[in-house]
Amino acid sequence: MDESGLLPVPPHVIGPTWRKRTSGEWYLPEYTLADDVVNWMFAYLTQPSGPRAGEPFIPTFEQFRFLTWWYAVDESGRFLYRNGTLRRLKGWGKDPLLAAMSLAELSGPVAFSHVEKGKAVGTPRASAWIQVAAVSQDQTRNTFSLFPAMASRRLREEYGLEIHRTLVYSEAGGVIEAVTSSPLALEGKRPTFVVLNETQWWLESNAGHEMAGVISGNVDKAAYGACRSLSICNAHRPGEESVAERDYEAYLAIQAGEAVDNGMLYDSLEAPADTPVSELAALAEDPEAYAEALNRLRRGVEIARGDAEWLDVDTIISSILDIRNPVTESRRKFLNQVNAVEDSWIAPREWDACRELSLRPLEKGDRVTLGFDGSKSNDWTALVACRVEDSALFVLRAWNPERHGGEVPREDVHAAVVSAFATYDVVAMRADVKEFEAYVDLWGERFGRKLKLKSDAKNPVRFDMRGRKKDFALAVEAFYDAVVERTVVHDGNPILRRHIVNAVRRPTNYEDLYTIGKATKDSKRKIDAAVCAVLAFGARQEFVTSKKNRGRGVVILK
């Protein structure tokens, strides 16, 4: 896939469905079976409800683009994606789309045949076995109740379909079956397509985790890699450890370089991060400000619904503004936003609101401050720069020890620090000492004279967080305030984002101050790049208020 010449993707868009080229055209794969599949749907399926009920089924343009990517293949006909997650707001039409896909998987041209005139051609799959899996019968009923209305007379007659409450048969020997919370019943099956329905409710307590594990095993052992699985969900509730949350965490881990991409398609459309909800109540006595905020909320809902124009925006807004509905649930259901966990430091939407799509890249000679946090093998090591001019944060390098044989390459880290000093005008550096003390001493000796601001009286780059807990807590507080006020900006680096949202608040012995840490000591959710960002930003704030910066016209707040 040629990813050159693509427009930047705003943080509320995940996946290729809404990506465009700089020419304005949609970004689409070179080879896909979607054209054949959608044409088959038009010929054999009917719209189940709404003003067009009974007419030929036509997916929206948004749904069509998703299908284009889901059925994308390479030159040899192998699917680009082995598994996927489609996350959309409540009422978007996930069940009708998955019902149409299930019927197409049963009898339509969903298997690669050949390439003809530069186009991939599909053919029906032999012995199709489709499973619609859920943790309750009600969830499978959402999909199975659509089959009688969507299967046209032509489809029933030509393919000999028999539609029952939890089973659909075809004369060719294919079957669609509903499966619920019985992992043992799933063990050993060899399906060709599996739908995981409403995975935000798949929990350990209702056997959702075990079901997902069995399904993953069945998909992996399918002959010729023919089986694929697709999950549908709304935004999950953080901390519940649902399968939807695990899928989201897996996607973030892949983006941050913490995991290998095994062919996962994660596609989501949220309302922009700055869409107001709770803020409206505080503006009730200011008609002008309230109207402006209400318009932003309306725009957020319109963006989140995508092409699902049957969703009434006024009705959704009324539900969101109903004080009986928790704000977190409104954001999850109707804005498709993942909220922060209770003790989180910075919410995903707060961080995403600070991203600037047109941010000037870090360039040679830029005046910066550096933040460094090192580890030998357990945690990550990272080097982050904060540009003095505009408080913009950039991850210069980050090292995952698992990608380096279990231990961070120290000489590589040293080379990155040397390169940063050679490339940029570094005016201050704060480097934690633990596990990198010898190198921190070397950096202080080698670069100390170049620095305008000294971090420590004995070593100009040394910032030992074990002995400067209050200073770090103050920096954490200042960083959070800057995020809320959007006086710090970033380029959307996935590693920094993941580490920022992983960080949780931790109490200190200093009145109302708090620090940040991992969720647990042994948590795999790393925060090292976030610590570096705090150190770099704190150094920048101290520098711009120091005597060394007088007369340079740089201010803390933009």
Side-chain angles (χ1 to χ4, degrees), residues 121-228:
V121 178
T123 187
R125 192 183 301 282
S127 303
W129 188 346
I130 297 91
Q131 293 179 327
V132 179
V135 293
S136 71
Q137 288 188 347
D138 286 341
Q139 290 176 9
T140 60
R141 193 178 297 120
N142 290 340
T143 302
F144 269 79
S145 64
L146 295 168
F147 289 145
M150 296 189 72
S152 67
R153 177 181 297 180
R154 180 184 177 186
L155 175 61
R156 296 170 192 255
E157 293 177 351
E158 289 190 19
Y159 293 93
L161 254 62
E162 294 183 20
I163 300 177
H164 304 278
R165 190 172 65 175
T166 58
L167 285 171
V168 178
Y169 295 102
S170 73
E171 281 185 352
V175 63
I176 305 175
E177 65 172 350
V179 292
T180 53
S181 49
S182 177
L184 292 178
L186 285 166
E187 191 73 53
K189 299 293 181 68
R190 293 185 179 274
T192 55
F193 180 59
V194 185
V195 175
L196 287 71
N197 201 311
E198 303 293 351
T199 51
Q200 74 271 18
W201 306 129
W202 289 42
L203 312 174
E204 184 176 14
S205 59
N206 59 20
H209 290 183
E210 191 174 357
M211 282 186 66
V214 172
I215 290 171
S216 178
N218 290 344
V219 170
D220 289 342
K221 71 182 182 184
Y224 308 108
C227 182
R228 300 193 295 159

Side-chain angles (χ1 to χ4, degrees), residues 337-378:
Q337 293 177 335
V338 176
N339 297 294
V341 295
E342 186 175 348
D343 60 348
S344 68
W345 176 41
I346 293 174
R349 63 182 181 84
E350 292 175 326
W351 182 248
D352 291 343
C354 295
R355 180 182 174 187
E356 285 192 9
L357 295 179
S358 58
L359 183 65
R360 179 174 68 82
L362 195 59
E363 299 173 347
K364 184 176 182 179
D366 277 351
R367 174 162 283 198
V368 301
T369 55
L370 300 178
F372 172 81
D373 183 28
S375 178
K376 182 178 180 180
S377 58
N378 184 45

